[in-house]
Amino acid sequence: MGDVEMENGASAPAEVVEDIPEIELIIKASTIDGRRKGACLFCQEYFMDLYLLAELKTIALKITTVDMLKPPPDFRSNFDSTPPPILIDAGVAVLENEKIERHIMKAVPGGHNLFVQDKEVAGIIENVYSKFKLMLIKKDDNSKNSLVSQLTKISLHLDGKGVRFLTGDTMCCFDCELMPKLQHIRVAGKNFADFEIPSSLEALWRYMGQMYTLDAFTTSCPADQDILSHYKMQQGTKMSRREELETPTYTNSVPGNQ
């Protein structure tokens, strides 16, 4: 297992650490090198949630990566076949995504502030990933148009609200859920289905551009190559040796004037 080096501000100063709880999040490692961050959506979502709390100094955050292709003996003995994400709080392991989310909301200091109740936002982001997965399979105009329609709803919501994030001017759980999916849509959509998020969705691109400037996203974001490897493995194929040896890249540009 390996530790991910955190950016400045992700954990509390040494003199404060004793007074705040340390939360460890075990995430899937890259399927390419087995060390850097992998492309697990839930892992990045909870990484972002906890990073925001660490920036507020309510917790100290430790991120550990595990190579699930070759899990170390101590991981197997402690967690059997349970895949990450796994949250460890005061020595107690919290397994399963729903339980992790509930634990962050109810038991991690400050966590309740991230979980905003907004049925409209929940509704417009709910199906975006399933429509993306369908597009990867069908790769036809209908599936692409369906995904664009869903992305358009998100863009119109952002434009109508006139705020930086989905529910206001501060990030919440919905942003930590949506933005990793948008990155997968952007990187894998282009590679496997020649799909691009339309530049006409200006509010959505402004939102993404804003997220690309935030440590909570950039520190947790997997490399493009790891996102591609994630979907190649789902399709039963592998990255070529040349692709595996590429220097990791991180797509974070936005169309001009956004």
Side-chain angles (χ1 to χ4, degrees), residues 32 36 191-192 225-226 228-229 232 238-248:
I32 296 175
R36 64 179 182 248
N191 185 273
F192 296 110
Q225 288 81 358
D226 288 305
L228 299 180
S229 176
K232 283 197 173 187
K238 285 178 130 186
M239 300 286 277
S240 69
R241 186 63 180 157
R242 178 187 60 78
E243 290 172 322
E244 290 184 344
L245 293 174
E246 286 178 354
T247 301

Side-chain angles (χ1 to χ4, degrees), residues 106-117:
K106 295 186 175 296
V108 176
H112 63 282
N113 294 319
L114 292 173
F115 289 85
V116 177
Q117 299 299 314

Side-chain angles (χ1 to χ4, degrees), residues 124 128 131 142-156 195 198 201:
I124 61 172
V128 67
K131 291 189 175 186
N142 284 343
S143 61
K144 290 181 181 181
N145 290 338
S146 179
L147 177 56
V148 169
S149 175
Q150 198 68 35
L151 293 171
T152 300
K153 290 178 183 178
I154 298 171
S155 191
L156 288 171
F195 175 84
L201 301 182

Side-chain angles (χ1 to χ4, degrees), residues 10 33 40-41 47-48 51 53-54 56 59-61 72 103 107 119 127 141 145 160 198 215 217 227 229 234 245:
D33 75 353
C40 165
L41 285 168
F47 191 156
M48 289 179 68
Y51 193 101
L53 297 178
L56 295 172
I59 63 167
L61 177 59
H103 187 86
K119 288 185 178 180
N127 295 321
D141 287 343
N145 290 338
D215 289 343
F217 179 75
I227 293 175
S229 176
Q234 288 185 358
L245 293 174

Side-chain angles (χ1 to χ4, degrees), residues 119-181:
K119 288 185 178 180
E120 180 187 358
V121 170
I124 61 172
I125 72 172
E126 181 180 16
N127 295 321
V128 67
Y129 189 67
S130 61
K131 291 189 175 186
F132 163 64
K133 291 297 293 288
L134 182 63
M135 184 201 69
L136 287 185
I137 296 169
K138 293 198 168 183
K139 300 178 184 175
D140 61 1
D141 287 343
N142 284 343
S143 61
K144 290 181 181 181
N145 290 338
S146 179
L147 177 56
V148 169
S149 175
Q150 198 68 35
L151 293 171
T152 300
K153 290 178 183 178
I154 298 171
S155 191
L156 288 171
H157 167 83
L158 290 164
D159 196 39
K161 292 285 186 182
V163 291
R164 296 170 67 202
F165 303 110
L166 287 170
T167 61
D169 286 325
T170 56
M171 283 178 65
C172 72
C173 61
F174 292 122
D175 300 293
C176 297
E177 177 184 347
L178 175 63
M179 187 59 196
K181 293 175 180 176

Side-chain angles (χ1 to χ4, degrees), residues 12-147:
E15 68 271 15
V16 182
V17 168
E18 294 178 5
D19 299 323
I20 61 175
E22 179 179 87
I23 304 293
E24 180 179 5
L25 183 67
I26 300 175
I27 64 175
K28 292 178 182 177
S30 161
T31 52
I32 296 175
D33 75 353
R35 294 188 302 276
R36 64 179 182 248
K37 301 177 294 288
C40 165
L41 285 168
F42 286 110
C43 292
Q44 186 179 4
E45 177 182 345
Y46 302 142
F47 191 156
M48 289 179 68
D49 284 332
L50 294 168
Y51 193 101
L52 292 171
L53 297 178
E55 285 187 318
L56 295 172
K57 312 301 185 193
T58 64
I59 63 167
L61 177 59
K62 178 182 180 183
I63 299 293
T64 303
T65 58
V66 174
D67 182 356
M68 293 307 294
L69 300 179
K70 300 175 184 176
D74 61 334
F75 179 84
R76 289 199 299 267
S77 61
N78 287 330
F79 306 111
D80 193 22
S81 59
T82 303
I86 296 169
L87 185 148
I88 300 177
D89 185 357
V92 177
V94 183
L95 314 176
E96 301 175 19
N97 296 332
E98 288 185 8
K99 291 180 180 178
I100 291 173
E101 190 170 302
R102 194 177 309 120
H103 187 86
I104 295 172
M105 178 170 58
K106 295 186 175 296
V108 176
H112 63 282
N113 294 319
L114 292 173
F115 289 85
V116 177
Q117 299 299 314
D118 192 317
K119 288 185 178 180
E120 180 187 358
V121 170
I124 61 172
I125 72 172
E126 181 180 16
N127 295 321
V128 67
Y129 189 67
S130 61
K131 291 189 175 186
F132 163 64
K133 291 297 293 288
L134 182 63
M135 184 201 69
L136 287 185
I137 296 169
K138 293 198 168 183
K139 300 178 184 175
D140 61 1
D141 287 343
N142 284 343
S143 61
K144 290 181 181 181
N145 290 338
S146 179
L147 177 56

